[in-house]
Amino acid sequence: MLDAAPIRTDWTREEAEAIYNTPFMDLLFQAHTVHRQYFDPNQVQKSKLLSIKTGGCAEDCAYCSQSARNGAQLSASKLIEVQRVIAEAKKAKEGGATRYCMGAAWRSPKDRDMAALEAMVQGVKDLGMETCMTLGMLDEDQVFRLRDAGLDYYNHNIDTSERYYSEIITTRTFADRIDTLNRVREAGIKVCSGGIVGMGEQQLDRIDMMLALATLEAHPDSVPVNMLIPIADTPLADVEKLDPIEFVRSVALARILMPKSHVRLSAGRTDMSDEMQAMCFFAGANSIFVGDTLLTADNPEEDKDQQLFDRLGITAMAVGCDGSR
């Protein structure tokens, strides 16, 4: 048996670019080989995502329907009640989800909301599920409060490369994102961070986005790879659709550069064929979101996911199992 691929944080752009542009069949073989060295290739982790506060966000992310600044027509809501979150989490667990992710459309949470957020984390933990939140930027006190409440994961995507970032977002910097990731990691919360492909970026931006994550002091525990869902009235509503092969290459690159990370096939699955999703799983994706909605975007229904899993011989990871070898 070949030695397992090493865990490195010193990848160079030249190395990453060479991997990304490897002939496609060789790239799939390399990514799948790395995946098998660290994970059971027939297990996929299921997460469920709930929007706990929708719309009215002060950021201007060009892809997002929840921004109050980019033209989308989504009305703002208040933070939902703690008991409703826990009830929804219970249903998600009954549906096979092992991790419950709670997302709020904020630039950063306000102190008045922290007690409710802590109660949500504690309530979901009491169900025996892993907890994840995505709330925007966090200061040190907020990070510690969430950690002490029992938060397992914090999601904060870098979205794209540093070069292309200002084309997508101007209300915060790429460095702001990295600062929050470092703060979360240093507090002992697991990091979930990935990005979006198909936003009109160049191939090198997709490579640099993965490289930025793979050269952090420690790799993210979870790396969501999203395919843009063009949303009416946003600046990216009419962007040209990405070649599916380019998307699979991005998944494969994430797997090779970050061998022990869970690579999550996230937004955009409604536009992916079963065959494309199967290629992504072969290339190292081993996590998905279940349920018919991702925040405000459509997602495949759970029955359709299960049918695909059955056809591929894939089983869901159990609570407390990360699928690693």
Side-chain angles (χ1 to χ4, degrees):
M1 181 176 177
L2 295 174
D3 291 338
I7 307 301
R8 294 176 49 192
T9 57
D10 61 348
W11 294 99
T12 67
R13 176 188 276 180
E14 291 72 23
E15 288 175 311
E17 194 170 4
I19 293 168
Y20 189 95
N21 288 308
T22 298
F24 189 61
M25 298 306 169
D26 294 336
L27 176 64
L28 288 183
F29 179 78
Q30 183 181 352
H32 187 70
T33 300
V34 171
H35 187 55
R36 278 183 173 269
Q37 290 170 346
Y38 285 95
F39 292 99
D40 182 334
N42 297 309
Q43 286 197 333
V44 170
Q45 187 270 330
K46 289 183 175 183
S47 295
K48 183 70 181 285
L49 177 62
L50 175 71
S51 178
I52 59 175
K53 190 274 176 190
T54 304
C57 183
E59 304 282 14
D60 66 353
C61 306
Y63 52 80
C64 188
S65 64
Q66 302 199 64
S67 169
R69 306 168 67 133
N70 69 12
Q73 304 298 312
L74 183 67
S75 59
S77 70
K78 295 181 179 180
L79 186 66
I80 66 177
E81 300 83 3
V82 172
Q83 289 306 314
R84 180 182 163 195
V85 172
I86 296 171
E88 292 295 328
K90 186 176 181 181
K91 288 192 288 186
K93 182 179 180 181
E94 292 168 352
T98 60
R99 186 179 307 164
Y100 201 65
C101 305
M102 295 157 273
W106 283 325
R107 176 176 172 80
S108 57
K110 293 182 172 58
D111 287 342
R112 66 171 180 260
D113 296 312
M114 290 303 298
L117 296 173
E118 291 168 297
M120 291 176 191
V121 171
Q122 292 164 352
V124 175
K125 288 284 283 187
D126 288 345
L127 295 175
M129 300 182 77
E130 294 179 321
T131 55
C132 179
M133 281 189 160
T134 178
L135 312 168
M137 296 185 291
L138 298 178
D139 63 31
E140 189 170 317
D141 178 66
Q142 291 167 336
V143 168
F144 286 132
R145 288 183 66 173
L146 291 171
R147 180 199 65 186
D148 292 345
L151 186 66
D152 296 300
Y153 290 83
Y154 192 75
N155 169 257
H156 199 58
N157 291 337
I158 61 171
D159 287 343
T160 187
S161 70
E162 186 171 10
R163 184 203 72 84
Y164 195 61
Y165 189 87
S166 62
E167 298 292 321
I168 302 299
I169 303 157
T170 67
T171 47
R172 76 173 91 169
T173 67
F174 190 85
D176 289 333
R177 301 245 178 191
I178 299 299
D179 286 346
T180 292
L181 293 179
N182 288 336
R183 204 169 285 130
V184 167
R185 177 183 52 79
E186 289 167 2
I189 299 172
K190 294 177 181 179
V191 170
C192 174
S193 186
I196 307 170
V197 299
M199 296 193 292
E201 76 281 351
Q202 297 177 14
Q203 183 185 90
L204 190 58
D205 294 308
R206 294 189 283 279
I207 295 169
D208 280 352
M209 177 183 71
M210 295 302 177
L211 189 62
L213 296 169
T215 54
L216 292 171
E217 188 171 325
H219 295 163
D221 295 270
S222 182
V223 180
V225 185
N226 299 273
M227 186 169 71
L228 178 72
I229 301 175
I231 296 173
D233 300 318
T234 64
L236 297 181
D238 299 317
V239 72
E240 184 177 350
K241 190 172 182 179
L242 184 72
D243 177 359
I245 299 299
E246 289 291 301
F247 184 87
V248 180
R249 284 186 180 275
S250 299
V251 170
L253 181 64
R255 170 51 63 216
I256 294 167
L257 296 186
M258 295 170 279
K260 292 184 72 174
S261 301
H262 284 77
V263 177
R264 180 174 298 132
L265 200 54
S266 297
R269 288 200 300 121
T270 50
D271 287 338
M272 298 180 193
S273 67
D274 287 352
E275 293 78 9
M276 180 179 171
Q277 291 187 69
M279 277 199 297
C280 288
F281 293 135
F282 187 82
N286 62 340
S287 178
I288 62 168
F289 279 121
V290 295
D292 56 7
T293 303
L294 290 183
L295 297 180
T296 62
D298 291 337
N299 196 51
E301 295 179 356
E302 291 183 38
D303 286 349
K304 185 174 181 181
D305 283 334
Q306 190 57 53
Q307 289 169 11
L308 178 59
F309 276 24
D310 289 344
R311 290 167 62 201
L312 298 178
I314 288 175
T315 59
M317 295 179 195
V319 175
C321 172
D322 62 6
S324 61
R325 290 192 182 278

